[in-house]
Amino acid sequence: MILKINNLHAGIGEKTILKGINLEVRTGEVHAIMGPNGSGKSTLASVLAGRETVTVTEGEIFYNGKNLLEMSPEERSKEGLFLGFQYPIEIPGVSMVAFMKAAVNEHRKYRGLEPLSASDFLKLMREKKELVGIDSKLANRSVNEGFSGGEKKKNEIFQMAMLEPKLSILDETDSGLDIDALRIVANGVNKLKRPDSSSIVITHYQRLLDYIVPDIVHVLYDGRIVKTSGKELALELEEKGYNWIQKEVNQN
Amino acid sequence: MNGQVGIVDRYLDLFDKNIGKIMDSSSPYINSLREPAYQTFRRMGIPDKKNENYKFADLALFFDFDYKTRLVPGKSDIEEAKNFQCGVADLETQGMILVNGYYPYADKLKQLPDGVWTGSFREASSQFGSLFEEHYGKYANTESDGLVHLNTAMATDGIFTYVPDGTVCEKPIQIVNIVQSDEDIFNQHRNLIVLGKNVQMTMIICDHTLSPRKFLTNAVTEVVVGENSIFNIIRVQNEHNYSGKITHTFINQEKNSFASSNNIILHGGLVWNNTYHYLVGEGAEAKSNGLYLIDKFQHVGNYVSIDHFVPNCTSNQLFKGVIDEMATGVFNGRIYVHPDAQKTAAFQRNNNILLTDDAKVFTKPHLEIYADDVKCSHGATVGQPDNDIMFYLRSRGIDQREAKLMLMFGFAHEVIQEIGVKALRERLDDLVMQRLRGELSRCANCVVKCY
Amino acid sequence: MEDNQDKLLNEVTSGDYKYGFYTDIDSEQAPKGLNEDIIRLISSKKEEPEWLLEFRLNAFRYWRTQKMPGWANLKIPDINFQDIIYYSAPKQKSKSNGSDDIDPELKKTFDKLGIPLEEQKHLSGVAVDAVMDSVSVKTTFKETLAEVGVIFCSFSEAVKEYPDLVKRYLGSVVPYRDNYFAALNSAVFSDGSFCYIPKGVRCPMELSTYFRINAANTGQFERTLLVADEESYVSYLEGCTAPIRDENQLHAAIVEIVAEKNAEVKYSTVQNWYPGDKNGNGGIFNFVTKRGMCKGENSKISWTQVETGSAITWKYPSCVLKGDNSVGEFFSVAVTNNYQQADTGTKMIHLGKNTKSTVVSKGISAGHSQNSYRGLVRMSRNAAGARNFSQCDSLLLGDKCGAHTFPYIETDNKTAIVEHEATTSKIGEDQIFYCNQRGINTDDAIGLIVNGYAREIINKLPMEFAVEAQKLLQISLEGSVG
Ligand SMILES: Nc1ncnc2c1ncn2[C@@H]1O[C@H](COP(=O)(O)OP(=O)(O)O)[C@@H](O)[C@H]1O
Ligand SMILES: [Mg+2]
């Protein structure tokens, strides 16, 4: 079991957003979390990554058996948890090289490894760029600055490739992408898949799930997981929209 | 000691000579502030160029002169002033005039149908004693401007307005300040405007001079904007070339209040407006806008200071100037974010166009920030209408003169469009257009030939 | 730049001031205090000609009539000018047996500061004038430079060897009446660098001066004069450090630059005077007048500064754009932390036609510090077609510090165009979180973000300085958030 969430309640300021989430992800699994806008998907991702603006009021989270909520954001990262941001952040003036080098070497230090030399590092960057299939010029620019929406998303996948996480959470990495970019993103994710790694793919549409085949699909609605099923659930949602879920929830 | 010795003595003298009469006509509370204010003025003096607020002003030009001062204007001057007609068509307001700072009506204090009290400052200081004790002199108390204290030491009359909780004033209140005398006079007046909670009110202040003498006015207005209230003050200044006008407006804003101050300077010899917004309640919002369209030897300045004392307030300053002939325009804007005034958003912009080789502009938009969670920015420009836009217009067949006019009109309109009173806004647009076309070489209703 | 960043990241060091050591070396000192006798003493120590002594005395007499300026946004404790030693020269043991050998103790000091004084050891392409307290210790590559006619030597030497040049230009850009500290410096200046680039010469290497305050109770009052004759080019660097001490020390320097027709001067500073400790004790009071005169047509002067040190900084490197079409630039990063105060900026005085100036200032405040930008852009009556663009950004780290912007714009020409923009904001929490999520801790994240923020300026610095500057930024801000 790589991740276990028990009865998680969390909010921002006065507002309660997550109202009792339960979720288990086993090693090697791919989970999809779907749900209408505003249902709390990104908030859940933020809690997992340790964003301080979100306050956990109840519940617990175990990551590889450890209490996740006690760990700092960078510790979680170094323990192999990766978040692909829905809105990747721009850091003007900081080159991708400098940024990734700092990150990779911090990860290595955590594992007791020597920092990579400049040339080894650049080699690694090259490999991963090819693997993910992104434009090599991207790496010479400042982090996300002036990137198009699609470039930002591809950049998230590239960073994921660099850091080789155990659990990757991709928050709407597919939205705003044209079909080619979507393929690049999905291929990247599939290529990076290892038997010992798991993923949570947050998405609004089932489109991405044509490329990344989930083992389990959850529907998050108003801060709760209201439905969990196999991949066929995604298709059903695509066909019928979210309204029927709403009705079902209201009936119960 | 800061200030101009010698000149100061003139005004200390005025005080010494007139204090008896001054005290006779005022309430004890107002009188109790006079002596300390006199001492402060004596210490601070008349601001000189070392004073950052007046760095680019030449006050001596107007202050170093032997003016007469009279607490009550002559009968004929009052009659003359009462004949004054506001030139703005269709402007529906609750109007009143002040003559040389004096409230000339027999009915000294009245309650309007909507519940608002207005009238003579002097009269109100006795009848509304507790309001005065709560507010008078509390805001007009700056350590950087001796002239405010000179006013507190000597002013006797002006306008008082009190808007009780929950009142929505349908019509703006309009005060026409008229200076009329066949002597060269120095006058000071004092306004106190108190808005309760959940109030909406717009005040229009028009400054005019009627007779061709040398005048100097030093006016102080204190405004209290209660919780949740909305207040707009619009000042339109149209005075002649021998007139000096220094105004100080202090607006104290409580929780969730909104206040806008708008200074439209059309004409004047020396015009110096000092506008202060004190944001003392969370959620308050301030807007301060100004436009100056000046020519000849006019010298105008706007000092605008916005103090963010508490978190979650917003402020915006927009000042624009078109400076022609030998005129000088000054903008001195200040945003001060006090420690702990987190989540402040404050913006400031000043744009100027110089039309001749002899026109001058000085601008100093400054930010002083002692809190960290803020978003503040300012910008200032001096230059000509944008060449690219000019080219674009001309490529559409508009001739150069007309294109320039259009751009300048648009330039000025950005400030005018912020004025909430439609009739006034339209009239100002007209005046600006005329002015830009060079048609308005003197002001409407003006008996003085300023050219 | 990538390599620079890599170097930086490999070399993240501790947050303490690294240059705070003291060299125990004998020095020859004047008694404390300031009077005409002291000035005569300094002048005679330096074997100066009569006219220079006159210049000093005039400056001193003027200074005595003046008061300390109070307009800056600074809280300056009273400075007792009689409690300062105005002349202190390290005694060099081996000076006797001739020529250029310098005291091993001094050599060690500069080695430790990363400024090797042997030419073969030094990073290629930089000539250094090393100044400790009141005297120049050594100037490297003098001979190489002489081959192309470039004069680069200590100020004292220039007074002896090139009196006509010194006389012609000294005080021509910063007259001693300019301000309080300029008058003080003109009275007591001890040493500094002199540089002359002859007509048509592109200086083949970077020139640099390294200033070191070592002795206690002394002030440093150096003077730099840089003249670029027609069609010449030079890039000049300045660095500085001082030992850690509890009391404040005064540094009041003057830099004068003259650029003749078509000449270009690039002047870069990485200012790292001891800033005082975490509680605001000690540190250098830095009152500096720097000004360049673009005298000839098409001349250009460019100031780049990275300011991390000093307890108090009062400094406005400026350009007087006299020649038509001349260009002035000012690029600055000023970092303040703990109880540091900085009031710094520039003046761009446009006198000639079609003159252009650019100002980019980035202020970063942390701790309890106060950081002000103060700038003046003046378009005078004859500056037809002149242009200025200024951008001043402030970044706030922590809620006890302040960031202030005081731009003055004075325009007296209708065809001149001035644009000024400024923003102030807090360091982005989401940027820090993004870095955290990738495994980078908060201190390093701030280092990265701040370096990115300042990159535009740092890129203007010569390579080695850029690396140094980046490290400095990171170190000066360590532990400032979180
Ligand atoms: N910073 C915030 N402050 C207050 N409410 C927020 C904030 N961010 C998100 N929310 C609210 O939380 C809810 C869930 O948002 P989010 O997790 O982004 O949804 P999703 O990713 O599923 O679209 C929404 O109602 C949104 O408006
Ligand atoms: Mg979302």
Side-chain angles (χ1 to χ4, degrees), chain C residues 29-35 38-39 41-42 63 68 77-88 134 180-181 184 188 190 213 215-221 247-252 285 287:
Chain C
Q29 294 188 328
K32 271 186 188 174
L34 181 53
N35 51 50
I38 291 285
I39 289 167
L41 177 78
I42 295 172
W63 178 76
M68 182 101 160
D78 281 341
I79 298 172
N80 183 354
F81 289 95
Q82 298 305 337
D83 198 33
I84 294 171
I85 295 168
Y86 287 86
Y87 182 81
S88 172
S134 306
Y180 189 74
F181 294 104
L184 178 64
V188 302
S190 34
I213 294 180
N217 303 316
T218 55
Q220 192 174 51
F221 305 92
E247 80 270 22
N248 300 110
Q249 278 183 286
L250 181 63
H251 173 252
F285 289 169
F287 297 94

Side-chain angles (χ1 to χ4, degrees), chain A residues 3-12 15-24 33 39-51 54-62 67-70 76 81 169 200 202 220-225:
Chain A
L3 184 73
K4 186 164 185 351
I5 303 178
N6 292 333
N7 191 30
L8 177 70
H9 291 251
I12 298 177
K15 183 170 174 159
T16 305
I17 299 167
L18 301 180
K19 303 167 182 169
I21 302 268
N22 294 298
L23 183 68
E24 290 183 7
I33 298 182
S39 56
K41 303 184 296 292
S42 295
T43 306
L44 176 60
S46 294
V47 171
L48 291 174
R51 193 170 211 149
V54 185
T55 318
V56 174
T57 49
E58 212 184 317
E60 44 190 9
I61 306 177
F62 295 99
N67 185 345
L68 187 72
L69 297 176
E70 280 177 355
R76 299 179 198 205
L81 187 147
I169 303 155
I200 298 176
I202 295 175
L220 185 61
Y221 178 78
D222 192 22
R224 292 184 188 88
I225 289 180

Side-chain angles (χ1 to χ4, degrees), chain B residues 423-441:
Chain B
L424 182 59
R425 189 170 59 231
E426 286 171 356
R427 174 69 179 150
L428 285 171
D429 270 343
D430 273 0
L431 284 176
V432 167
M433 196 40 135
Q434 282 180 47
R435 186 58 182 276
L436 293 173
R437 283 188 193 284
E439 289 163 4
L440 189 78
S441 55

Side-chain angles (χ1 to χ4, degrees), chain C residues 110-158:
Chain C
F110 281 93
D111 277 347
K112 217 165 152 186
L113 295 169
I115 314 290
L117 297 178
E118 292 121 329
E119 294 179 5
Q120 62 276 19
K121 258 202 198 168
H122 203 277
L123 299 153
S124 60
V126 184
V128 183
D129 182 20
V131 177
M132 190 192 276
D133 296 334
S134 306
V135 294
S136 166
V137 175
K138 160 106 184 175
T139 310
T140 62
F141 291 106
K142 257 160 49 176
E143 289 73 26
T144 319
L145 291 168
E147 280 166 25
V148 289
V150 170
I151 303 171
F152 181 46
C153 60
S154 75
F155 203 92
S156 312
E157 190 179 333

Side-chain angles (χ1 to χ4, degrees), chain B residues 18 32 57 69 81 125 130 161 178 201 206 221 230 235 242-243 248 259 266 271 279 299 304 320 401 435:
Chain B
N18 292 297
S32 73
T69 183
S125 66
S130 60
T161 302
I178 288 172
M201 201 256 273
C206 306
T221 304
I230 298 176
R235 193 182 274 279
Y242 324 111
S243 170
H248 315 262
L266 295 171
V271 181
L279 302 172
H299 193 117
V304 186
K320 294 191 140 193
R401 200 188 107 89
R435 186 58 182 276

